[in-house]
Amino acid sequence: MNKKTEKELNEAIAADPDNAELYYELALVIYEEKYETGKPIHAHRASDELLKAIRLDPFNGKYHFLRVEYSAHTSSQHWEDELNRCILLKYKVKECKAILKTYEQVWGMGDDQDYIDKQFENVKKDPSAENYYFLGRCLRSAGDEDSLKYFNKALEIDPNHAASMASIAFYHQDRGMLREALKWFLNSIEHAPNDEIKATYYSWTGSLYEQMGDYQNTLDIRLKSRNELGGDYQRLAKIGDSYLKLERYEEAEKTLLEVIKDDIVGGNYHGTYCNLVVLYAQLQKF
């Protein structure tokens, strides 16, 4: 049986818009284009189509498991959520638990001295920007002040190394130097190597604006990210939260209700419902 093209699948969906499997097949086709064309934006397009399948059939673990791969490009939290949903739905439980365990091991190695020593060895063998960056990241995880030195070294070698820029931003954020951190987060967006990583940098920048109490710029950066890169209900939930903080209640209500419609299985349900309770209290809609 020949695999359908994107055009054929869109025509099939137009004729049968309630068929979840068609959106799933379309997501697969779109995502394959990522590798054929080298355009990472396809991961977001594929994720959006997959969410349509999930709305129609929210308890199909296959759909959530495929989102693990798509979400891994933008946010570890997103794919952790999807893995936990698969486990709840009893879909590939052993495989999902193994992936989660691997994640914990990989991200827990930053403050391990043997691992740090290994990164020093890698820098000696290959003094590349990437190796200096990984060394700096490990030292930052361990709370070592020298981490900044290695991020700067990475930028000396490659002035466009966006990951080092973002890490310098976190270094300053950790120390309460928020304006300096903002400068580096904005630089990281400008130099992001692909759209998935750019989406993550947008998210971090929005969170920093929020930490600074600058809710208008928080909203602006989140809207810019979604307009430029697309995205799912998780980004929309943050936009709704920004509208609420700005007391733009009508837009907040519309956005948060859209999140609930999209997020059938519940990743953002609790936070979104809490925001709606606050909103309705303000509007006296109870």
Side-chain angles (χ1 to χ4, degrees), residues 1-265:
M1 182 177 178
N2 293 329
K3 184 164 57 175
K4 292 185 177 71
T5 65
E6 183 174 344
K7 180 181 178 182
E8 289 170 336
L9 284 166
N10 279 318
E11 290 172 351
I13 288 169
D16 187 10
D18 295 326
N19 188 332
E21 195 67 15
L22 290 174
Y23 294 101
Y24 171 75
E25 292 177 20
L26 179 57
L28 288 172
V29 170
I30 291 172
Y31 196 66
E32 284 181 5
E33 294 180 33
K34 169 183 166 60
Y35 297 103
E36 294 171 3
T37 66
K39 295 181 179 178
I41 191 66
H42 291 309
H44 291 291
R45 290 183 56 227
S47 182
D48 287 343
E49 296 302 328
L50 202 51
L51 278 171
K52 295 174 187 177
I54 290 171
R55 285 181 216 142
L56 292 167
D57 187 3
F59 304 109
N60 191 325
K62 177 176 70 173
Y63 301 158
H64 293 283
F65 191 77
L66 188 60
R67 282 206 81 225
V68 172
E69 182 172 2
Y70 300 164
S71 299
H73 294 287
T74 56
S75 169
S76 60
Q77 183 61 48
H78 292 185
W79 65 259
E80 281 183 277
D81 289 342
E82 295 295 0
L83 286 168
N84 284 316
R85 286 170 186 160
C86 290
I87 292 170
L88 287 172
L89 294 170
K90 296 181 171 54
Y91 183 83
K92 294 190 175 183
V93 173
K94 288 184 178 179
E95 188 171 347
C96 290
K97 287 184 176 179
I99 295 172
L100 284 170
K101 184 177 180 181
T102 300
Y103 166 81
E104 291 170 358
Q105 291 172 341
V106 169
W107 287 93
M109 285 195 292
D111 57 358
D112 180 84
Q113 188 58 49
D114 289 340
Y115 191 68
I116 292 173
D117 291 342
K118 177 65 176 176
Q119 295 307 312
F120 273 111
E121 291 177 14
N122 289 341
V123 165
K124 288 180 181 178
K125 293 177 183 176
D126 177 17
S128 63
E130 196 73 1
N131 281 337
Y132 274 112
Y133 158 70
F134 279 119
L135 173 58
R137 194 176 75 174
C138 289
L139 292 172
R140 175 178 172 265
S141 180
D144 194 317
E145 292 288 332
D146 281 346
S147 61
L148 181 62
K149 176 173 70 176
Y150 295 107
F151 294 137
N152 283 324
K153 183 65 177 177
L155 288 174
E156 287 178 18
I157 298 169
D158 179 4
N160 297 316
H161 199 269
S164 292
M165 296 176 190
S167 293
I168 291 172
F170 277 120
Y171 176 93
H172 291 299
Q173 186 178 16
D174 292 344
R175 288 154 181 79
M177 302 167 65
L178 303 187
R179 288 291 173 188
E180 186 68 13
L182 177 61
K183 180 184 78 175
W184 285 101
F185 275 136
L186 292 172
N187 285 343
S188 70
I189 292 172
E190 292 299 318
H191 293 86
N194 59 54
D195 287 325
E196 285 91 352
I197 292 175
K198 180 182 282 190
T200 299
Y201 295 163
Y202 268 126
S203 177
W204 291 342
T205 306
S207 296
L208 179 60
Y209 273 128
E210 192 167 52
Q211 182 183 349
M212 297 166 71
D214 187 344
Y215 299 130
Q216 184 58 58
N217 272 319
T218 303
L219 174 62
D220 291 345
I221 202 78
R222 287 172 175 170
L223 287 172
K224 183 177 180 182
S225 173
R226 185 170 172 83
N227 291 337
E228 181 180 340
L229 304 173
D232 56 27
Y233 57 82
Q234 287 142 331
R235 287 187 204 162
L236 200 58
K238 291 183 177 180
I239 291 171
D241 180 63
S242 294
Y243 280 130
L244 185 58
K245 285 184 170 67
L246 288 167
E247 299 182 0
R248 292 167 61 172
Y249 296 133
E250 184 176 338
E251 292 155 299
E253 180 182 26
K254 180 181 178 181
T255 304
L256 294 171
L257 288 173
E258 184 69 21
V259 173
I260 289 177
K261 182 181 75 173
D262 283 358
D263 187 16
I264 300 296
V265 176

